[in-house]
Amino acid sequence: ELKVEQNPLFLSMQEGKNYTIYCNYSTTSDRLYWYRQDPGKSLESLFVLLSNGAVKQEGRLMASLDTKARLSTLHITAAVHDLSATYFCAVDTPNTGNQFYFGTGTSLTVIP
Amino acid sequence: NAGVTQTPKFRILKIGQSMTLQCTQDMNHNYMYWYRQDPGMGLKLIYYSVGAGITDKGEVPNGYNVSRSTTEDFPLRLELAAPSQTSVYFCASTGGGGAYQPQHFGDGTRLSIL
């Protein structure tokens, strides 16, 4: 069974600080997705990473993918309160019949 | 541009009752999915479909059924509701080749079984 693990599960950080969320997965894949979920809301797509070494950036968030290490990172630069949310990574592979496997999520709280 | 629409948004059921959660998308996506999200947890796949007339089980299918008679609609049926099915249910879709594109999610259905 494909497993997707995120750490940390909970993250409290001060505004202006930098931090990284890690997403490890247990099988070969070159397709990794990051989503954001605000409390009580649905999931919103942030990034799609489709190859080894892929890097995507949007504002204060930057995501990268290392398929050899089976690792993706979501780096937060100079955090602001608006980034407070839960972040999920997800993986799909050719061998899982178009299923997506989600990590448990990282709940981020940015403190003024 | 509606995207993925789920109804109802909230529902309370009694143990043993049945109901259907509706999901429709207007993006002509072939691939559709049903997830449940328990409090503080990630998403678990219940069922998915790669096209009209084709459905398959995900990680947690017990107690649920689906059908896919059209490209647009993918209803989820709960038979004999149990307290363990209290959760938030999300429907999602993705187009093209299924993968390589992110999933578009509906707003969710918050279901309580009492």
Side-chain angles (χ1 to χ4, degrees):
Chain A
E1 178 184 329
L2 192 158
K3 291 192 181 298
V4 183
E5 295 182 343
Q6 288 181 238
N7 70 83
L9 298 182
F10 299 94
L11 176 57
S12 180
M13 57 189 298
Q14 287 187 316
E15 280 190 333
K17 299 293 187 181
N18 304 332
Y19 209 83
T20 300
I21 298 170
Y22 297 88
C23 172
N24 291 88
Y25 52 96
S26 63
T27 193
T28 301
S29 176
D30 57 3
R31 303 199 289 261
L32 193 291
Y33 308 79
W34 282 98
Y35 294 86
R36 168 182 172 144
Q37 184 179 37
D38 292 311
K41 302 294 186 181
S42 186
L43 280 77
E44 171 190 359
S45 175
L46 291 174
F47 300 109
V48 179
L49 303 168
L50 297 177
S51 61
N52 186 42
V55 177
K56 295 277 184 75
Q57 183 164 4
E58 179 75 30
R60 301 176 188 274
L61 299 177
M62 184 174 70
S64 65
L65 179 61
D66 181 344
T67 59
K68 295 180 181 178
R70 301 178 184 173
L71 171 68
S72 180
T73 62
L74 180 66
H75 186 72
I76 303 155
T77 302
V80 294
H81 179 68
D82 286 351
L83 291 179
S84 296
T86 299
Y87 294 85
F88 292 95
C89 62
V91 174
D92 78 312
T93 76
N95 299 324
T96 58
N98 305 295
Q99 298 183 54
F100 288 71
Y101 291 85
F102 281 80
T104 50
T106 296
S107 176
L108 171 65
T109 302
V110 180
I111 303 167
Chain B
N1 189 5
V4 178
T5 302
Q6 291 182 237
T7 57
K9 294 190 184 304
F10 303 92
R11 185 73 184 266
I12 299 174
L13 282 182
K14 293 182 179 179
I15 295 171
Q17 288 185 320
S18 300
M19 77 163 293
T20 299
L21 281 65
Q22 302 291 345
C23 175
T24 187
Q25 52 91 8
D26 63 358
M27 296 173 283
N28 200 32
H29 285 168
N30 286 323
Y31 297 82
M32 296 187 74
Y33 307 80
W34 274 106
Y35 295 92
R36 61 177 286 172
Q37 184 179 32
D38 297 327
M41 304 293 286
L43 279 74
K44 292 188 182 297
L45 182 65
I46 305 171
Y47 272 95
Y48 68 103
S49 169
V50 299
I54 305 170
T55 62
D56 209 344
K57 296 178 181 179
E59 185 181 2
V60 290
N62 292 343
Y64 308 94
N65 275 300
V66 294
S67 59
R68 185 91 182 272
S69 57
T70 67
T71 299
E72 294 78 18
D73 300 309
F74 190 39
L76 177 71
R77 178 81 177 166
L78 276 72
E79 304 283 2
L80 298 175
S84 61
Q85 293 178 304
T86 294
S87 190
V88 180
Y89 292 83
F90 288 103
C91 178
S93 72
T94 186
Y100 303 100
Q101 296 184 21
Q103 294 177 312
H104 297 258
F105 284 83
D107 288 338
T109 294
R110 285 149 182 79
L111 180 63
S112 294
I113 315 294
L114 303 177

